[in-house]
Amino acid sequence: MGFQERSDAFDFNVTLQGFVKQLRAEKEAIERAADPTPKKDYGLKDGQTINITIGNLGAKRTRPRPANNSTNGDGLVPLLPPPPSASQVKQQQQQQQQQGSLF
Protein backbone atom coordinates (compact mmCIF):
# COMPACT_ATOMS: atom_id res chain seq x y z
CA MET A 1 0.00 0.00 0.00
CA GLY A 2 1.41 3.38 -0.92
CA PHE A 3 0.60 6.93 0.11
CA GLN A 4 1.25 10.16 -1.75
CA GLU A 5 2.03 12.09 1.43
CA ARG A 6 4.59 10.97 3.95
CA SER A 7 2.51 12.22 6.88
CA ASP A 8 -0.43 10.03 5.79
CA ALA A 9 1.84 6.98 5.70
CA PHE A 10 3.22 7.82 9.13
CA ASP A 11 -0.26 8.27 10.65
CA PHE A 12 -1.39 4.94 9.17
CA ASN A 13 1.68 3.16 10.54
CA VAL A 14 1.16 4.63 14.03
CA THR A 15 -2.51 3.63 14.01
CA LEU A 16 -1.63 0.11 12.88
CA GLN A 17 0.99 -0.25 15.64
CA GLY A 18 -1.52 0.97 18.24
CA PHE A 19 -4.07 -1.59 17.06
CA VAL A 20 -1.55 -4.44 17.25
CA LYS A 21 -0.49 -3.30 20.73
CA GLN A 22 -4.14 -3.30 21.87
CA LEU A 23 -4.67 -6.82 20.52
CA ARG A 24 -1.60 -8.09 22.41
CA ALA A 25 -2.77 -6.42 25.64
CA GLU A 26 -6.23 -8.02 25.34
CA LYS A 27 -4.68 -11.44 24.64
CA GLU A 28 -2.39 -11.14 27.72
CA ALA A 29 -5.34 -10.05 29.90
CA ILE A 30 -7.31 -13.13 28.86
CA GLU A 31 -4.31 -15.38 29.56
CA ARG A 32 -3.81 -13.83 33.02
CA ALA A 33 -7.50 -14.25 33.86
CA ALA A 34 -7.40 -17.93 32.84
CA ASP A 35 -4.23 -18.61 34.91
CA PRO A 36 -5.27 -21.06 37.68
CA THR A 37 -2.33 -20.37 40.04
CA PRO A 38 -3.56 -19.01 43.37
CA LYS A 39 -2.38 -15.59 44.41
CA LYS A 40 0.00 -15.45 47.38
CA ASP A 41 -1.14 -13.69 50.53
CA TYR A 42 1.73 -11.68 51.98
CA GLY A 43 -0.45 -10.02 54.64
CA LEU A 44 0.04 -10.49 58.37
CA LYS A 45 -2.23 -12.91 60.14
CA ASP A 46 -4.21 -11.84 63.24
CA GLY A 47 -1.86 -11.28 66.17
CA GLN A 48 1.26 -11.57 64.01
CA THR A 49 3.87 -8.82 64.43
CA ILE A 50 7.13 -7.81 62.85
CA ASN A 51 10.18 -6.67 64.84
CA ILE A 52 12.87 -4.74 63.02
CA THR A 53 16.31 -3.95 64.46
CA ILE A 54 18.30 -1.37 62.54
CA GLY A 55 21.99 -1.39 63.40
CA ASN A 56 23.13 -0.21 66.83
CA LEU A 57 20.95 2.85 67.24
CA GLY A 58 20.73 2.49 71.03
CA ALA A 59 24.33 1.38 71.57
CA LYS A 60 27.12 3.68 72.66
CA ARG A 61 29.90 4.53 70.26
CA THR A 62 32.86 2.22 70.62
CA ARG A 63 35.32 4.57 68.94
CA PRO A 64 35.86 8.06 70.34
CA ARG A 65 35.24 10.93 67.98
CA PRO A 66 38.40 12.59 66.66
CA ALA A 67 39.15 15.99 68.16
CA ASN A 68 38.53 18.78 65.70
CA ASN A 69 40.62 21.90 66.22
CA SER A 70 38.35 24.11 64.11
CA THR A 71 35.52 23.95 66.65
CA ASN A 72 35.37 25.54 70.04
CA GLY A 73 34.64 23.62 73.25
CA ASP A 74 30.86 23.55 72.88
CA GLY A 75 30.96 21.91 69.44
CA LEU A 76 29.98 24.98 67.44
CA VAL A 77 31.84 25.98 64.31
CA PRO A 78 33.21 29.54 64.50
CA LEU A 79 31.57 31.99 62.12
CA LEU A 80 33.47 33.95 59.52
CA PRO A 81 33.59 37.72 59.86
CA PRO A 82 31.18 39.65 57.64
CA PRO A 83 32.47 40.89 54.27
CA PRO A 84 33.61 44.50 53.99
CA SER A 85 31.09 47.11 52.92
CA ALA A 86 30.95 48.34 49.33
CA SER A 87 32.42 51.71 50.30
CA GLN A 88 35.40 50.04 51.96
CA VAL A 89 36.01 47.90 48.88
CA LYS A 90 35.87 50.97 46.61
CA GLN A 91 38.33 52.82 48.84
CA GLN A 92 40.74 49.86 48.78
CA GLN A 93 40.50 49.64 44.98
CA GLN A 94 41.12 53.36 44.60
CA GLN A 95 44.15 53.17 46.90
CA GLN A 96 45.54 50.25 44.91
CA GLN A 97 45.04 52.13 41.64
CA GLN A 98 46.77 55.22 43.04
CA GLN A 99 49.70 53.16 44.31
CA GLY A 100 49.93 51.38 40.96
CA SER A 101 50.06 54.66 39.03
CA LEU A 102 52.86 56.02 41.26
CA PHE A 103 55.23 53.23 40.32
Side-chain angles (χ1 to χ4, degrees):
M1 178 182 288
F3 293 93
Q4 291 182 357
E5 295 290 327
R6 183 180 183 132
S7 62
D8 292 338
F10 178 78
D11 291 342
F12 179 76
N13 193 17
V14 169
T15 304
L16 190 60
Q17 288 175 353
F19 179 73
V20 170
K21 184 178 178 181
Q22 181 66 30
L23 286 178
R24 285 184 188 150
E26 289 175 3
K27 181 181 176 185
E28 289 176 6
I30 292 171
E31 289 174 357
R32 276 186 266 132
D35 192 12
T37 59
K39 295 186 178 186
K40 294 184 179 181
D41 181 21
Y42 293 110
L44 294 176
K45 308 296 185 250
D46 288 335
Q48 195 175 21
T49 60
I50 296 176
N51 293 327
I52 299 174
T53 305
I54 301 175
N56 295 327
L57 293 178
K60 294 182 180 178
R61 290 183 176 261
T62 57
R63 290 182 283 161
R65 287 187 170 184
N68 194 351
N69 294 338
S70 65
T71 61
N72 53 15
D74 57 359
L76 298 176
V77 178
L79 298 176
L80 295 174
S85 66
S87 61
Q88 290 175 344
V89 172
K90 286 181 183 178
Q91 287 176 356
Q92 289 175 354
Q93 289 175 348
Q94 289 173 353
Q95 288 174 357
Q96 289 175 355
Q97 287 175 355
Q98 289 174 357
Q99 289 176 358
S101 63
L102 295 176
F103 294 110

